[in-house]
Amino acid sequence: AQTVTQSQPEMSVQEAETVTLSCTYDTSESDYYLFWYKQPPSRQMILVIRQEAYKQQNATENRFSVNFQKAAKSFSLKISDSQLGDAAMYFCAYRGEDTGNQFYFGTGTSLTVIP
Amino acid sequence: DTGVSQNPRHKITKRGQNVTFRCDPISEHNRLYWYRQTLGQGPEFLTYFQNEAQLEKSRLLSDRFSAERPKGSFSTLEIQRTEQGDSAMYLCASRLTGGSYEQYFGPGTRLTVT
């Protein structure tokens, strides 16, 4: 089965600064999708950003961007100009073309934003 | 569009009892997923429906677990003879076929087995 690894259980960042959350994955597939989800405390999970593996260009959504390195199987999330509302658990997720409809999630990174 | 809803939000039950959770997906979404999330872990896939058909089941889904989506709209997840190890957050997500594969999650049902 595919595995998704988030090696940073906790991260902190000063408000208005930039932070990068790391994610690596293991797969033998060539076509797949990668996602970052945000789970605020006691609230539901929402999609932050997604990346199609066939696209070389890194995805960007406002203050959120990714550094996708396919050969290294790395998919990091950069949050610029961090805001207090960014505090949450962040999960990296993988969905492969050949693995049916299963999404594989990492163990998450808890982000604290310091005022 | 009110999003994905789940009921109840919290359930406390005694070991050995049966429990049932409900998920109402976004109305036009034909695909529905169930996940289990334990403390300190990411969601783990349990099962998936396309319309009313249950197309995939994880080996995490023991025979004490059963899921249905009778009319292709809401879904129920039942756990029979609950065990303390079943204590977790049970998440439901839905999406449309194709597109970006983005799943929309509900708030979850937190199960505590005493």
Side-chain angles (χ1 to χ4, degrees), chain B residues 53-86:
Chain B
Q54 187 175 18
L55 297 185
E56 287 186 44
K57 291 194 291 186
S58 162
R59 57 182 182 274
L60 289 175
L61 209 69
S62 76
D63 54 8
R64 295 186 298 106
F65 288 68
S66 62
E68 295 183 339
R69 195 184 183 196
K71 296 182 180 179
S73 56
F74 72 91
S75 175
T76 57
L77 177 68
E78 180 183 18
I79 310 174
Q80 296 182 328
R81 305 181 303 283
T82 52
E83 302 173 355
Q84 286 189 322
D86 297 332

Side-chain angles (χ1 to χ4, degrees), chain B residues 6 26 33 37 46 90 108:
Chain B
Q6 292 186 246
I26 293 172
Y33 303 78
Q37 186 178 21
L46 290 178
Y90 290 85

Side-chain angles (χ1 to χ4, degrees), chain A residues 1 33 35 37 39 42-47 50 52 91 95 97 99-108, chain B residues 4 9 31 33 35 37 40-43 45 48 56-58 91 95 99-107:
Chain A
Y33 295 78
F35 306 83
Y37 277 87
Q39 189 176 38
S42 301
R43 295 183 62 186
Q44 58 210 77
M45 203 170 316
I46 58 173
L47 180 69
R50 65 175 172 266
E52 292 89 341
F91 292 98
R95 192 273 188 193
E97 277 297 315
T99 49
N101 285 277
Q102 293 199 28
F103 279 60
Y104 297 89
F105 285 82
T107 52
Chain B
V4 179
R9 295 291 306 276
R31 299 196 176 197
Y33 303 78
Y35 293 87
Q37 186 178 21
Q41 300 295 317
F45 171 82
Y48 148 69
E56 287 186 44
K57 291 194 291 186
S58 162
L91 298 171
R95 73 172 182 91
S100 65
Y101 299 105
E102 177 181 353
Q103 296 189 356
Y104 293 79
F105 282 83

Side-chain angles (χ1 to χ4, degrees), chain B residues 1 42 45 51 86 93 96 103 105 110 112:
Chain B
D1 178 4
F45 171 82
N51 300 313
D86 297 332
L96 278 171
Q103 296 189 356
F105 282 83
R110 181 167 296 283
T112 302

